[in-house]
């Protein structure tokens, strides 16, 4: 049981990012890249247990993910109330705290921090200077390529295809997606995170049947 | 003409699939409200149509 839990942690990537509609192209590209690279995308969206405080379940998720993708690109004033949303910087802090103060396994954690523009974070979160912070310029292709590069280097996996090849396959997946959702009698926005993640895995399995399957 | 392959190149080649994808693909155990079987069938139908169109 412990080795299964350990394998799950080693292969899990915590996606700490916005869930708004405008961000969806980057979110979907991120899930696709994570699975293409042989990892499991995890998100607070998979938590359905209303009996636990949300913070506890997010902490449990962070502890069980060796990798963390943190997108600070939406850190700014909301047009409706002129207040910033702090969930993502807060969860980045939890992840880095876990890495810093946790046991030996937690110290192997690796984080990639995204923002819209280079060095913008220095105006609101200068304490994270020195982390791996990259700009995706609100471009899903840039985000996908950066995720691929990060996972390849952090997990030392020489067998991952180049970012452009993964992007081309993501484009093919997006062309197939309306036909798949039509078979399911659903609209794209009605797919939950767990459905979408499973769908991507099955699609990648069909696309390349020679891959070794691991159920986690 | 013979082709010589270094030991390192041979090891690298062993770890690659034809498409260059990472060899391991994780299939999540935890699924959402739609049954895994339905999703699998929908994806298979789309791939079957694609294959039929190509041939």
């Amino acid at each position: 049981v412990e080795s299964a839990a350990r394998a799950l942690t080693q292969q899990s990537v915590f996606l700490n990012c916005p869930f708004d509609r405008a961000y969806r192209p980057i979110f979907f590209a991120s899930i696709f890249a994570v699975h293409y690279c042989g990892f499991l995308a995890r998100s607070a969206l998979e938590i359905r247990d209303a009996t636990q405080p949300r913070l506890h379940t997010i902490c449990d998720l962070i502890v069980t993910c060796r990798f963390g993708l943190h997108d600070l690109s939406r850190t700014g004033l909301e047009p409706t109330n002129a207040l910033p949303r702090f969930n993502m910087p807060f969860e980045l802090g939890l992840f880095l705290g876990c890495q810093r103060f946790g046991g030996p396994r937690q110290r192997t954690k690796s984080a990639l921090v995204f923002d819209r523009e280079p060095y913008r974070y220095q105006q609101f979160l200068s304490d994270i200077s020195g982390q791996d912070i990259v700009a995706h310029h609100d471009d899903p292709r840039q985000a996908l390529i950066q995720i691929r590069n990060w996972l390849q280097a952090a997990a030392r996996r020489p067998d991952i295809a180049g970012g452009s090849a993964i992007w081309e396959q993501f484009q093919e997946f997006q062309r197939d997606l309306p036909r798949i959702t039509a078979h399911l009698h659903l609209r794209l926005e009605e797919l939950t995170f767990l459905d979408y993640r499973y769908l991507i895995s099955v699609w990648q399995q069909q696309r390349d049947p020679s891959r070794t399957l691991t159920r986690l | 003409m013979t082709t010589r392959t270094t030991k390192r190149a041979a090891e690298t080649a062993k770890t690659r699939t034809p498409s260059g994808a990472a060899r391991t693909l994780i299939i999540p155990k935890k699924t959402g409200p739609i049954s895994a079987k339905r999703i699998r069938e929908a994806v298979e139908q789309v791939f079957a149509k694609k294959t039929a169109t190509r041939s």
Side-chain angles (χ1 to χ4, degrees), chain A residues 42 46-48 194 197-198 216, chain B residues 27-32:
Chain A
R42 310 284 307 274
E46 68 187 74
I47 299 165
R48 282 178 289 179
L194 291 173
R197 182 180 76 172
Y198 189 77
L216 285 177
Chain B
I27 305 289
K29 275 184 190 169
K30 193 174 178 181
T31 53

Side-chain angles (χ1 to χ4, degrees), chain A residues 53-67:
Chain A
R54 186 174 163 82
L55 180 59
H56 289 190
T57 46
I58 286 173
C59 286
D60 289 346
L61 196 54
I62 287 171
V63 166
T64 53
C65 290
R66 182 181 165 205
F67 301 94

Side-chain angles (χ1 to χ4, degrees), chain A:
Chain A
V1 174
E2 198 196 342
S3 64
R6 199 171 169 183
L8 179 66
T9 302
Q10 290 297 314
Q11 311 289 345
S12 291
V13 180
F14 173 53
L15 302 181
N16 171 22
C17 55
F19 302 134
D20 59 86
R21 196 183 175 86
Y23 187 78
R24 208 172 283 167
I26 296 180
F27 188 48
F28 287 174
S30 303
I31 302 170
F32 190 90
V34 166
H35 279 261
Y36 188 97
C37 294
F39 295 86
L40 178 71
R42 310 284 307 274
S43 162
L45 290 173
E46 68 187 74
I47 299 165
R48 282 178 289 179
D49 186 358
T51 61
Q52 291 288 318
R54 186 174 163 82
L55 180 59
H56 289 190
T57 46
I58 286 173
C59 286
D60 289 346
L61 196 54
I62 287 171
V63 166
T64 53
C65 290
R66 182 181 165 205
F67 301 94
L69 173 64
H70 307 269
D71 195 320
L72 307 181
S73 63
R74 292 295 190 275
T75 306
L77 299 180
E78 293 280 311
T80 48
N81 54 18
L83 290 169
R85 285 183 63 83
F86 275 134
N87 282 341
M88 280 147 281
F90 176 68
E91 288 169 29
L92 168 62
L94 288 174
F95 189 92
L96 296 177
C98 195
Q99 181 190 37
R100 177 72 176 77
F101 302 113
R105 282 186 201 161
Q106 295 300 327
R107 274 176 227 136
T108 65
K109 275 179 150 40
S110 172
L112 175 68
V113 183
F114 271 146
D115 200 0
R116 275 201 308 272
E117 310 296 336
Y119 313 114
R120 191 186 75 108
Y121 71 92
Q122 289 178 347
Q123 294 167 43
F124 61 86
L125 200 61
S126 58
D127 282 357
I128 60 167
S129 297
Q131 298 290 322
D132 197 3
I133 303 161
V134 292
H136 57 46
H137 302 278
D138 278 330
D139 177 7
R141 186 175 187 275
Q142 285 290 317
L144 181 144
I145 291 170
Q146 297 287 1
I147 291 167
R148 178 263 173 206
N149 292 347
W150 163 59
L151 287 174
Q152 197 221 16
R156 297 195 185 95
R157 291 205 175 169
D159 54 343
I160 298 174
S164 300
I166 303 174
W167 176 253
E168 276 176 31
Q169 207 173 99
F170 180 58
Q171 298 294 96
E172 186 185 330
F173 169 72
Q174 285 192 300
R175 284 194 294 274
D176 286 352
L177 197 51
R179 288 191 284 273
I180 296 168
T181 50
H183 278 293
L184 294 168
H185 307 292
L186 285 171
R187 282 187 291 177
L188 181 58
E189 54 270 25
E190 289 171 329
L191 284 175
T192 65
F193 168 74
L194 291 173
D195 290 328
Y196 189 79
R197 182 180 76 172
Y198 189 77
L199 199 158
I200 281 180
S201 305
V202 172
W203 188 91
Q204 290 185 357
Q205 183 193 356
Q206 286 284 321
R207 182 68 173 71
D208 189 353
S210 68
R211 291 179 73 172
T212 309
L213 303 184
T214 303
R215 291 181 196 280
L216 285 177

